[in-house]
Amino acid sequence: MDSNSTPWISSSPPLSMQAELPTTLPTIFPRVGYSILSFLMFINTVLSVFNNGLVITVMLRNPSLLQPMSVMILSLAVSDLMIGLCGSLVVTITNYHGSFFIGHTACIFQGFSVNYFGLVSLCTLTLLAYERYNVVYKPNLGLKLSMRRSVIGLFFVWIFCLFWAVAPLFGWSSYGPEGVQTSCSLAWEERSWSNYSYLILYTLLCFILPVAIIVYCYYKVLTYMIKLNKSVELQGGRPSQKENEHAINMVLAMITAFFVCWLPYTVLSVVVVVDPKLYIPPLIATMPMYFAKTSPVYNPIIYFLSNKQFRDCTLEVLSCGRFIPHGPTNVSIHMRPLNKGTWLSSLSRNVNTHSKVLPM
């Protein structure tokens, strides 16, 4: 493959030469641009490591938080923490230097790590959406969420993602420098039928399918909540408007953050595969990849810091035990099944009860 076959950066050496070079030389991207990217990725690294490290610490210090649903979020925090350490931290250093100076082996390792842990986070988000759908929308189908079910689901997620991350190491696609040549990922620009087959299946099974599941599950949850609220009102109850708005806003935030982080990267990747001759400037090729690396910052905020139970435990940890949570000491993060029969029986006991409709 000659240098003209790489549309992202016209001056990039062939892949065979990249394997021989211990370093990747800077591109035409200005030096000040690398400094700006390094600063932004440094902020991203600090927030990613702190947020997810805090989530892990709080959960391990509070065993009562380790419920079937929160175990999935613990897994999400672990994978997001690894993205920050193996992805954002490395990119901070290489951008500060102005090139991927740590060698081709480190490039492969970074590409593998970001690909693997990014897929784990994405599939864990999908698993969370699916379980929320089962508990909220279909509570009577016998699919009761248990610790065993959560662990089995997470085991499948980590193995499934490991297959797609390891495959390029054995010749089905490959890892190499990307964008402004200070980070590494899948070799989207490589022109071969083997690479095409991997990228097509990768895009379908590792992005489009998870996105479809997430959108479908949360759409069903939202529509069911709205329908259930109307049913409660017709029976004389008064659902808490503030709680309902909070729940809907959380779901919308999850979907919005997901698309902001991952959609630009996937669109760019698909465009490069579909139109091999299209030239994409290095900065334009780099920005979607960095957007994807910001996902570890948002997930802990959305899934935990907006939850009062976790917030109390977090303040207790940050204050070294000086903060005393208000309310029950037995704290748990769980999901409650929502079904019409439960609501109507509750209403029959107390028609003035304020109902809370939450997705968690």
Side-chain angles (χ1 to χ4, degrees):
M1 183 178 68
D2 57 30
S3 61
N4 293 329
S5 63
T6 304
W8 289 21
I9 303 173
S10 58
S11 59
S12 298
L15 292 178
S16 59
M17 292 180 60
Q18 289 177 2
E20 299 173 1
L21 293 176
T23 60
T24 302
L25 299 178
T27 65
I28 58 175
F29 195 58
R31 187 66 183 85
V32 65
Y34 287 113
S35 299
I36 294 174
L37 287 177
S38 179
F39 174 75
L40 294 177
M41 292 310 298
F42 171 76
I43 299 299
N44 183 75
T45 301
V46 171
L47 293 177
S48 298
V49 173
F50 176 79
N51 288 355
N52 290 284
L54 181 61
V55 167
I56 296 171
T57 301
V58 169
M59 295 195 68
L60 294 181
R61 285 173 59 94
N62 295 272
S64 58
L65 292 176
L66 294 176
Q67 302 296 324
M69 183 59 63
S70 57
V71 167
M72 297 183 191
I73 304 180
L74 177 61
S75 172
L76 179 67
V78 171
S79 59
D80 283 347
L81 176 64
M82 295 308 297
I83 294 175
L85 294 175
C86 299
S88 301
L89 178 60
V90 173
V91 172
T92 299
I93 298 172
T94 54
N95 274 304
Y96 180 80
H97 188 273
S99 66
F100 203 94
F101 66 97
I102 53 180
H104 182 68
T105 301
C107 177
I108 294 177
F109 174 78
Q110 195 236 353
F112 165 81
S113 300
V114 173
N115 186 25
Y116 180 42
F117 294 115
L119 279 179
V120 169
S121 295
L122 182 56
C123 291
T124 304
L125 291 173
T126 307
L127 184 62
L128 279 165
Y130 176 71
E131 293 298 348
R132 280 193 171 98
Y133 168 79
N134 281 333
V135 175
V136 174
Y137 193 72
K138 295 183 177 181
N140 299 320
L141 291 183
L143 298 176
K144 183 179 179 181
L145 183 61
S146 63
M147 187 65 72
R148 181 174 181 272
R149 178 181 169 88
S150 295
V151 172
I152 292 175
L154 289 173
F155 177 78
F156 174 78
V157 164
W158 284 77
I159 295 299
F160 173 80
C161 297
L162 182 62
F163 168 78
W164 289 100
V166 167
L169 300 178
F170 291 91
W172 196 23
S173 188
S174 61
Y175 294 109
E178 62 180 355
V180 294
Q181 306 291 278
T182 52
S183 62
C184 297
S185 71
L186 291 171
W188 295 94
E189 75 281 1
E190 183 180 330
R191 307 303 163 203
S192 67
W193 285 111
S194 174
N195 194 51
Y196 281 146
S197 63
Y198 176 88
L199 295 179
I200 291 172
L201 291 176
Y202 180 90
T203 303
L204 290 175
L205 299 179
C206 299
F207 185 81
I208 294 179
L209 181 60
V211 166
I213 294 174
I214 289 174
V215 172
Y216 175 81
C217 290
Y218 281 136
Y219 170 77
K220 285 293 187 178
V221 169
L222 287 176
T223 55
Y224 188 73
M225 288 169 57
I226 295 172
K227 180 180 178 180
L228 186 59
N229 286 333
K230 291 180 180 179
S231 176
V232 171
E233 291 175 354
L234 291 176
Q235 296 296 325
R238 292 192 302 148
S240 174
Q241 188 66 24
K242 183 178 180 180
E243 296 288 353
N244 296 336
E245 290 179 355
H246 173 74
I248 293 174
N249 289 336
M250 277 192 62
V251 172
L252 293 178
M254 295 170 194
I255 297 175
T256 301
F258 175 84
F259 278 107
V260 167
C261 294
W262 292 103
L263 188 59
Y265 181 83
T266 303
V267 169
L268 177 66
S269 303
V270 172
V271 168
V272 170
V273 172
V274 172
D275 189 355
K277 297 182 180 180
L278 179 66
Y279 173 80
I280 301 178
L283 182 59
I284 301 300
T286 296
M287 295 312 297
M289 303 163 193
Y290 285 6
F291 273 120
K293 290 181 176 67
T294 63
S295 60
V297 177
Y298 307 134
N299 290 332
I301 297 174
I302 294 173
Y303 281 93
F304 281 96
L305 299 184
S306 58
N307 183 289
K308 185 181 184 303
Q309 296 171 333
F310 180 80
R311 210 163 43 235
D312 288 341
C313 294
T314 301
L315 292 175
E316 187 177 3
V317 170
L318 293 177
S319 64
C320 299
R322 296 186 181 89
F323 175 80
I324 301 177
H326 299 286
T329 56
N330 186 15
V331 180
S332 64
I333 296 177
H334 64 281
M335 292 178 60
R336 64 188 67 181
L338 303 178
N339 58 76
K340 191 172 182 179
T342 302
W343 277 102
L344 295 183
S345 62
S346 175
L347 286 170
S348 65
R349 291 192 299 268
N350 186 357
V351 74
N352 292 323
T353 298
H354 291 268
S355 306
K356 296 182 179 181
V357 181
L358 297 176
M360 293 185 64

